[in-house]
Amino acid sequence: MADTKAFVDVTDRRVLDKLVPVGSPHYVQMQALVIDIISLVPDNKIDLLCSISCAAATNFQCIDCTEIILQVVGKGKTEEWAVTYMLIAFYQAYGAVDNGSDAWQFMSGYLKIMFMIAARQDKHFAKIDKLGVRIRMALRPADPQRDILNELIRIHDQCDNLSSCLSSIRKYEISVKQEEATGKAANQYLASKVGQIRLAYEVVINNKAFIGKTYDKSAKRLKKAQSVVNTTTVIDGEPLQKKLFSTKQSRKSTNVATAENIADDNTPPLLDNNFKPIKQIAKSSELQQWKLKSSYQHASRNQFHFPTNHRQLSITGYQMLFSVLWHHFLSDNTEYQTGYAVLLLSLLSGISIDSVITDWQCNRSQRQYFVYDRTRKVSNIAITIDVTTNTRSHLLAHRQSYGSVFKRALPEVLQIMLEDKVAVSLDDVKLAINEVKNQLNLPALSAQYIESGLFVVIKNGLSKPLHADILTGVDVRHSSPLYYTSIKTADLEQTYIKAVALLSAYCDDEKKASLIDECSVSMNGHKSHVGSDMVLETSTCQQFFEQLAMSAESYNERLNHSIERYIAQFNSYSVWLWHTIMIQTGIRPVKHAPGLLNQLDFKRRLLWVSDKEERHGQSDGRLIPLSQFLAAAIQNYIDYIKQFAAIYNPICPETPYPLDAILQSEQSLIQIYQKNPKGFIGITPSRVRYELQDFFSHQDNWLRHQLRTMLTGRVPDYLICALYGHEHPDQEFMHPMSSSFINQLHQLNPHLDAIAKDLHLKQIEVRLYG
Amino acid sequence: MKNKTLRSTQKMLVLSSENLTIHPDANTAFMVWQQHRLPLRRPQLAGLDDYYRPVLRLCVLDKDNYQFFNNFARIDEVMRFENSWRQPCLIALESRHDIKRLAWCEVLNLSRFAGVNHPALFQAIYQSAPKQLVCELMGVHRLTVSNYCQFAGISRSSYEYQQCKVACDETLLGLPKNMNWMGSVHG
């Protein structure tokens, strides 16, 4: 008997050593504490043999919590010492261990789960760190995961054993998931986190085995494709390595997602050319001409879709095509039906025929485009816009977009077809195309014409290029505006219904009415906006600017006889102006933005900027209209800096403010004072980030997202693209062959001023005296 | 030893915030003056012939750099609006005591303006000025509120009335150091 006791002692001791390793800070006390807490709530369902005497009452008061946390983080042992870290953080938040407190009773159960997982001696052990992280993060101020912790404490309080806790946690997870999926609550990624905790409980209570994750190749490839670094081409038997740097700036100085920068700066690699020039030509001007020519061809083939493009049908052509297809689909025998269905699906979704077929051949749950909705029991078209995800927890609740998936309804007949996975042969599709080709007498009709159908209808028929890109699932890398726009789902739904109405114009009235009716079912629940994850709600943005303005104005009449406050005032005014320029011009937050004083023309109200890497043979910046608000703000700032120099420079001649250089456009207009090394330097995004520090943090170019979103729908899209420099090669607003004129840019001005008004921007009055 | 700076000279100089600094001995007085000055516009002298502009007293720092120590309001104007005009200057000999005196004179002159915050000005003088020098300039033995009121030509009661109006200096300067402002609407 005594032997088994000893054996149990040994195993318990080993588990404890795993949870709180020997050598971790205060491990004796921590181990005692773990036992203390576990034995707080007796649970006979789970036979935890806690035989180690806990006579050594934990004297916890003498331990310095902050010091331990610093030690854990400083040594980089947050994983190994996860339990210590978690308990200390919990102790800081909830005070001494107390039998009556709900929080500690919860912790008792939670630790029990951790203990059991550690006792299993398998790969589940990694969950201990995960569980610790969940609690630690929940304890951070204003973290959305706080809700999880509160709910867990509540659940543990109400349930009398861990197995009933598990079922409550499951219910909680389902409700959170549902809310996030329908857009009832802002998606703060809580469901997956509750899922982690639920899984840990399941492992212990249901004794689940460990199943490793298998990564599929496609995800890996996608990641690789986004960071182009090296390409090797064999030219005349000689390998030539070409290095492509994704952006001009290093990762250190910018926090803008790489994909976003690439989409802006680099043209997508040409996909359809295997041209290998010989050595002599490779370095000649001929090659450059070839590059120009092929990029033009690429663009004209893939991007333009002008009404005159002969690789597409006219609107009437598509209307006739659709009515014939629809007629055949409804009346034909089942043999050909799948072929017609594929063509119709491609016309309604704008997705290529190949993708339609591959998707259809998958199980309902694995589909990418024709997604099955379990709660509504319908299939719908889901377009995912591949935007940069925002994982800053403090911002999650304030984002405008509810994810980046837009769903729309399909006609019921097609939904029924999509119920099961079907082996679709390409021959059926070809036969169907041939059939309509002959019937409509369109000898050139091919799959390509059908695939571009929806795009042409929306772009040329409804003239909504941005909606066309979104609804047909154009890759964001081919359409940068998609990165920046958070768009109303209602608008997209309207456009889709209009497109369906336009497409089905040649069907008979009954069919047309039912088609429109079936396609106009809203599938997006409460999701009011989809798209860019960086855009914040207008009210949050208003508050942000209000705080900046208050900060700059707070120094008025409070300047004392130390120069420090003058400098602080100067910095906060500069930061305010920088942000105001960003929201009013949408320029990229590059170093020294917006540049020199001579780039501003107050008379014509124009700003010349060059904020991206120059592409070969093309472009030296672009013109941006200055709104009345911004022009006034900059002029006020110039008045201010003259006064500031008259006070600052006589006092601190060792680090002078370069007023003359600024006014003569030798140094950037907005400067900022830094402490190390002391002195004024041109403003950079990282300086701004430093100034805002604890106040706010976001991706540097978030105001670019914000402005793009606020402009969308107010102004014609081509003007926004001109403002942002999001134009296809040779289609630039300022291209020599362009029919637009500079003054057209000024159409943007009233809208920019309206946005300033919407955001409650006001001219601030920063006074140096009086 | 031949030292040019010992001779006082007259010169026409183009002055701007780049070549003009405050004399170290007048620094405190200048800061106090800046803090309490009033945003008054003075008569514009731009159209005057060079020789008729008011003369500025300066010290030489090195070849092209000069130091000023009085006439702050005029210097401020020069630096902000007239930085491309020639100004008649009197390059003075350096006498630290006199420089201090002239500089604090400027601060004391502020008390003559209506609208100046007398309690704050008195506080600043009391805290940062050399007592003996100020007393000497004001012609009093001790620096007290009543002496100051007498000097400024205001009554004690109006001084105390202003004192009551002073708002407390407790509100936040600059940006908040946390993100709580963001949640205030959404709760």
Side-chain angles (χ1 to χ4, degrees):
Chain A
M1 194 63 203
D3 288 350
T4 49
K5 180 94 171 54
F7 173 71
V8 168
D9 269 359
V10 169
T11 40
D12 276 5
R13 173 59 60 193
R14 206 189 292 153
V15 173
L16 263 180
D17 283 349
K18 245 175 134 182
L19 281 180
V20 184
V22 177
S24 60
H26 303 282
Y27 68 94
V28 181
Q29 282 108 315
M30 292 311 300
Q31 287 187 349
L33 181 73
V34 168
I35 294 162
D36 245 20
I37 296 171
I38 288 179
S39 53
L40 211 60
V41 182
D43 189 338
N44 46 14
K45 276 272 176 68
I46 292 178
D47 46 348
L48 190 62
L49 295 159
C50 219
S51 49
I52 301 165
S53 80
C54 32
T58 38
N59 50 345
F60 220 63
Q61 276 71 26
C62 57
I63 293 174
D64 184 4
C65 297
T66 15
E67 197 207 327
I68 296 182
I69 290 178
L70 282 179
Q71 207 176 335
V72 172
V73 179
K75 288 192 178 170
K77 296 235 179 185
T78 51
E79 271 176 50
E80 289 93 328
W81 300 347
V83 175
T84 309
Y85 193 1
M86 174 188 80
L87 281 177
I88 293 289
F90 203 76
Y91 180 80
Q92 272 187 325
Y94 288 96
V97 184
D98 171 19
N99 197 14
S101 112
D102 294 345
W104 282 109
Q105 280 182 356
F106 149 72
M107 187 40 76
S108 165
Y110 203 70
L111 266 181
K112 220 169 275 172
I113 297 290
M114 286 180 150
F115 194 89
M116 298 297 286
I117 290 176
R120 291 172 65 95
Q121 315 232 349
D122 56 10
K123 280 188 176 172
H124 279 306
F125 187 71
K127 288 195 171 60
I128 304 258
D129 175 45
K130 283 270 166 58
L131 289 174
V133 169
R134 291 283 79 82
I135 299 296
R136 262 155 45 203
M137 292 190 74
L139 291 172
R140 289 198 313 205
D143 196 287
Q145 296 183 47
R146 188 71 191 212
D147 297 346
I148 300 180
L149 180 60
N150 289 342
E151 184 64 23
L152 281 177
I153 291 175
R154 201 188 58 77
I155 287 172
H156 278 259
D157 185 36
Q158 284 176 352
C159 304
D160 44 358
N161 58 32
L162 286 177
S163 7
S164 55
C165 279
L166 173 61
S167 54
S168 302
I169 292 174
R170 270 200 196 118
K171 267 183 219 149
Y172 175 56
E173 186 193 354
I174 290 166
S175 75
V176 172
K177 213 182 231 171
Q178 186 65 28
E179 272 178 18
E180 288 183 353
T182 54
K184 214 179 216 170
N187 186 354
Q188 309 196 45
Y189 311 113
L190 291 185
S192 63
K193 280 154 192 158
V194 180
Q196 285 175 2
I197 296 169
R198 189 252 311 148
L199 190 62
Y201 276 67
E202 268 178 2
V203 165
V204 170
I205 292 160
N206 302 346
N207 193 16
K208 274 199 168 178
F210 183 82
I211 300 164
K213 223 184 218 171
T214 44
Y215 294 95
D216 62 336
K217 275 179 190 163
S218 63
K220 228 179 191 175
R221 202 170 50 224
L222 200 73
K223 251 190 183 164
K224 238 184 196 169
Q226 278 171 352
S227 57
V228 188
V229 187
N230 284 330
T231 42
T232 318
T233 42
V234 180
I235 293 172
D236 206 17
E238 200 178 289
L240 196 79
Q241 200 178 48
K242 184 170 133 195
K243 275 196 178 167
L244 196 70
F245 296 102
S246 51
T247 45
K248 206 185 221 167
Q249 291 175 320
S250 66
R251 291 293 300 149
K252 214 175 154 192
S253 64
T254 172
N255 65 4
V256 177
T258 327
E260 240 171 78
N261 265 333
I262 288 180
D264 270 357
D265 286 344
N266 294 350
T267 39
L270 306 186
L271 308 165
D272 48 357
N273 276 295
N274 286 322
F275 177 66
K276 285 188 187 120
I278 58 163
K279 212 194 226 164
Q280 286 88 334
I281 292 178
K283 288 166 190 163
S284 70
S285 64
E286 216 170 315
L287 181 70
Q288 287 167 18
Q289 279 180 23
W290 166 77
K291 269 187 184 161
L292 204 69
K293 190 177 149 213
S294 67
S295 88
Y296 168 71
Q297 282 175 341
H298 181 76
S300 66
R301 208 169 300 152
N302 298 316
Q303 294 290 355
F304 286 179
H305 288 296
F306 286 140
T308 48
N309 189 332
H310 49 74
R311 282 167 188 271
Q312 67 190 27
L313 299 178
S314 62
I315 305 279
T316 328
Y318 281 116
Q319 287 169 340
M320 282 162 67
L321 177 71
F322 186 83
S323 78
V324 168
L325 283 174
W326 192 246
H327 177 76
H328 278 296
F329 173 67
L330 290 185
S331 54
D332 256 20
N333 49 5
T334 44
E335 250 183 278
Y336 290 123
Q337 216 180 2
T338 44
Y340 290 119
V342 167
L343 296 184
L344 281 169
L345 282 172
S346 176
L347 263 181
L348 284 173
S349 64
I351 292 158
S352 75
I353 288 173
D354 286 339
S355 314
V356 171
I357 293 173
T358 5
D359 219 39
W360 200 350
Q361 284 169 339
C362 291
N363 274 326
R364 277 198 317 209
S365 57
Q366 292 170 328
R367 286 190 191 149
Q368 193 188 348
Y369 300 112
F370 303 104
V371 173
Y372 184 72
D373 188 336
R374 268 166 214 287
T375 45
R376 289 163 183 254
K377 309 222 182 302
V378 288
S379 296
N380 48 36
I381 307 172
I383 299 290
T384 309
I385 312 163
D386 186 18
V387 295
T388 320
T389 3
N390 192 350
T391 51
R392 295 164 179 83
S393 59
H394 56 278
L395 296 176
L396 294 182
H398 305 282
R399 290 169 305 167
Q400 185 178 279
S401 308
Y402 292 82
S404 55
V405 183
F406 175 72
K407 291 180 180 167
R408 55 192 206 259
L410 276 169
E412 274 164 31
V413 231
L414 285 170
Q415 279 184 34
I416 295 164
M417 296 278 294
L418 285 170
E419 286 282 290
D420 305 301
K421 68 171 179 182
V422 175
V424 188
S425 84
L426 211 53
D427 292 342
D428 284 354
V429 179
K430 274 180 189 156
L431 276 175
I433 293 179
N434 263 333
E435 181 73 30
V436 281
K437 191 178 359 186
N438 294 333
Q439 196 179 340
L440 287 172
N441 202 8
L442 290 170
L445 186 72
S446 69
Q448 202 190 354
Y449 287 75
I450 294 169
E451 283 165 2
S452 59
L454 188 68
F455 192 92
V456 170
V457 165
I458 299 175
K459 196 190 168 208
N460 297 339
L462 304 172
S463 46
K464 295 212 159 123
L466 182 68
H467 289 198
D469 280 354
I470 295 176
L471 289 174
T472 58
V474 168
D475 189 342
V476 278
R477 276 172 288 166
H478 290 277
S479 173
S480 319
L482 299 189
Y483 270 119
Y484 292 99
T485 317
S486 161
I487 198 162
K488 274 194 191 128
T489 44
D491 287 355
L492 287 175
E493 278 162 2
Q494 276 305 314
T495 309
Y496 177 58
I497 296 165
K498 276 186 201 156
V500 171
L502 202 60
L503 265 178
S504 60
Y506 276 43
C507 299
D508 60 50
D509 287 347
E510 197 188 325
K511 277 182 198 158
K512 189 180 164 186
S514 74
L515 257 173
I516 296 174
D517 196 38
E518 284 164 20
C519 288
S520 53
V521 181
S522 173
M523 288 284 165
N524 292 295
H526 298 271
K527 298 182 180 178
S528 57
H529 290 78
V530 293
S532 164
D533 225 11
M534 299 297 159
V535 181
L536 302 184
E537 280 168 351
T538 312
S539 62
T540 310
C541 197
Q542 281 167 2
Q543 284 175 324
F544 174 76
F545 276 102
E546 193 191 327
Q547 292 286 342
L548 285 185
M550 268 165 45
S551 140
E553 282 184 335
S554 67
Y555 296 96
N556 288 351
E557 290 164 36
R558 309 261 291 285
L559 296 163
N560 56 16
H561 41 268
S562 79
I563 198 71
E564 307 293 318
R565 281 205 184 172
Y566 286 85
I567 291 169
Q569 181 189 44
F570 172 83
N571 273 357
S572 61
Y573 194 9
S574 298
V575 167
W576 177 85
L577 184 70
W578 189 82
H579 281 100
T580 308
I581 289 174
M582 291 298 145
I583 194 69
Q584 286 284 281
T585 60
I587 57 175
R588 293 178 184 83
V590 288
K591 205 175 164 189
H592 303 294
L596 308 173
L597 188 60
N598 62 5
Q599 289 173 228
L600 291 154
D601 184 343
F602 290 110
K603 215 174 191 176
R604 293 191 186 77
R605 298 249 299 275
L606 283 172
L607 164 67
W608 176 85
V609 291
S610 169
D611 58 355
K612 63 177 176 184
E613 210 169 352
E614 281 178 26
R615 286 180 202 156
H616 53 268
Q618 174 222 323
S619 149
D620 9 325
R622 61 183 192 278
L623 289 174
I624 280 178
L626 283 181
S627 67
Q628 201 156 20
F629 179 85
L630 186 61
I634 295 176
Q635 273 164 333
N636 287 347
Y637 182 75
I638 293 171
D639 288 344
Y640 167 84
I641 57 172
K642 284 180 186 160
Q643 283 180 23
F644 176 76
I647 295 174
Y648 176 85
N649 277 347
I651 292 165
C652 302
E654 61 279 1
T655 53
Y657 177 67
L659 181 71
D660 280 359
I662 291 169
L663 295 181
Q664 284 157 26
S665 305
E666 284 154 11
Q667 287 198 36
S668 63
L669 171 65
I670 305 184
Q671 303 262 326
I672 213 155
Y673 184 86
Q674 60 172 11
K675 290 201 174 92
N676 189 24
K678 273 187 181 174
F680 288 91
I681 52 157
I683 199 160
T684 61
S686 58
R687 292 309 314 172
V688 173
R689 236 180 292 147
Y690 179 77
E691 286 294 319
L692 298 186
Q693 265 191 48
D694 302 323
F695 164 69
F696 189 71
S697 74
H698 204 331
Q699 182 165 292
D700 288 340
N701 67 354
W702 72 281
L703 287 174
R704 192 166 152 81
H705 289 255
Q706 194 82 33
L707 180 68
R708 167 81 219 196
T709 298
M710 295 185 86
L711 278 175
T712 306
R714 285 181 199 243
V715 211
D717 222 56
Y718 74 93
L719 280 177
I720 309 179
C721 287
L723 181 70
Y724 273 66
H726 284 159
E727 295 157 305
H728 297 304
D730 293 325
Q731 276 208 299
E732 290 94 351
F733 187 84
M734 302 304 287
H735 191 274
M737 298 297 193
S738 168
S739 59
S740 325
F741 45 97
I742 296 179
N743 275 348
Q744 265 178 317
L745 274 178
H746 288 301
Q747 289 171 11
L748 281 164
N749 279 344
H751 298 283
L752 291 172
D753 277 319
I755 284 170
K757 211 175 164 199
D758 283 358
L759 289 173
H760 301 299
L761 295 188
K762 55 180 174 44
Q763 298 295 351
I764 56 172
E765 198 189 346
V766 180
R767 292 195 301 265
L768 282 161
Y769 46 81
Chain B
M1 192 176 77
K2 199 178 172 188
N3 194 339
K4 274 185 185 171
T5 53
L6 282 177
R7 234 185 308 134
S8 83
T9 49
Q10 297 163 30
K11 267 188 186 173
M12 297 296 282
L13 293 170
V14 177
L15 299 168
S16 75
S17 65
E18 310 267 314
N19 63 358
L20 208 51
T21 54
I22 181 76
H23 193 280
D25 286 320
N27 201 337
T28 336
F30 181 59
M31 286 308 286
V32 171
W33 181 84
Q34 276 294 353
Q35 197 189 339
H36 295 279
R37 65 181 288 197
L38 295 167
L40 296 174
R41 292 295 288 268
R42 311 218 312 177
Q44 295 292 305
L45 300 174
L48 276 181
D49 186 80
D50 290 348
Y51 292 94
Y52 286 86
R53 295 214 176 92
V55 177
L56 302 170
R57 274 178 189 280
L58 299 175
C59 295
V60 180
L61 183 64
D62 51 51
K63 194 166 172 285
D64 280 326
N65 289 302
Y66 300 91
Q67 291 177 324
F68 64 95
F69 47 84
N70 74 339
N71 222 347
F72 296 145
R74 172 77 193 131
I75 298 267
D76 187 64
E77 255 173 27
V78 168
M79 286 194 290
R80 277 166 57 197
F81 307 114
E82 302 173 22
N83 51 16
S84 50
W85 284 306
R86 299 195 303 162
Q87 309 285 349
C89 299
L90 191 63
I91 313 296
L93 299 170
E94 236 182 298
S95 154
R96 298 186 59 185
H97 195 65
D98 285 343
I99 283 173
K100 270 188 192 164
R101 263 196 261 194
L102 285 177
W104 283 104
C105 242
E106 286 285 317
V107 176
L108 289 177
N109 281 341
L110 280 180
S111 67
R112 302 300 157 86
F113 287 107
V116 82
N117 185 349
H118 289 286
L121 181 61
F122 176 71
Q123 271 299 317
I125 293 173
Y126 192 83
Q127 279 168 7
S128 17
K131 297 259 163 44
Q132 210 184 340
L133 195 145
V134 171
C135 287
E136 190 192 315
L137 286 173
M138 284 167 71
V140 293
H141 292 294
R142 279 180 64 222
L143 192 56
T144 58
V145 174
S146 50
N147 280 341
Y148 172 82
C149 289
Q150 211 178 359
F151 178 78
I154 53 166
S155 66
R156 182 73 187 254
S157 57
S158 66
Y159 177 91
E160 276 158 4
Y161 175 73
Q162 262 192 332
Q163 207 167 19
C164 298
K165 278 204 304 183
V166 173
C168 59
D169 198 47
E170 286 310 302
T171 40
L172 178 82
L173 278 179
L175 288 167
K177 292 277 176 268
N178 56 51
M179 297 186 193
N180 295 341
W181 58 271
M182 239 190 295
S184 54
V185 166
H186 301 273

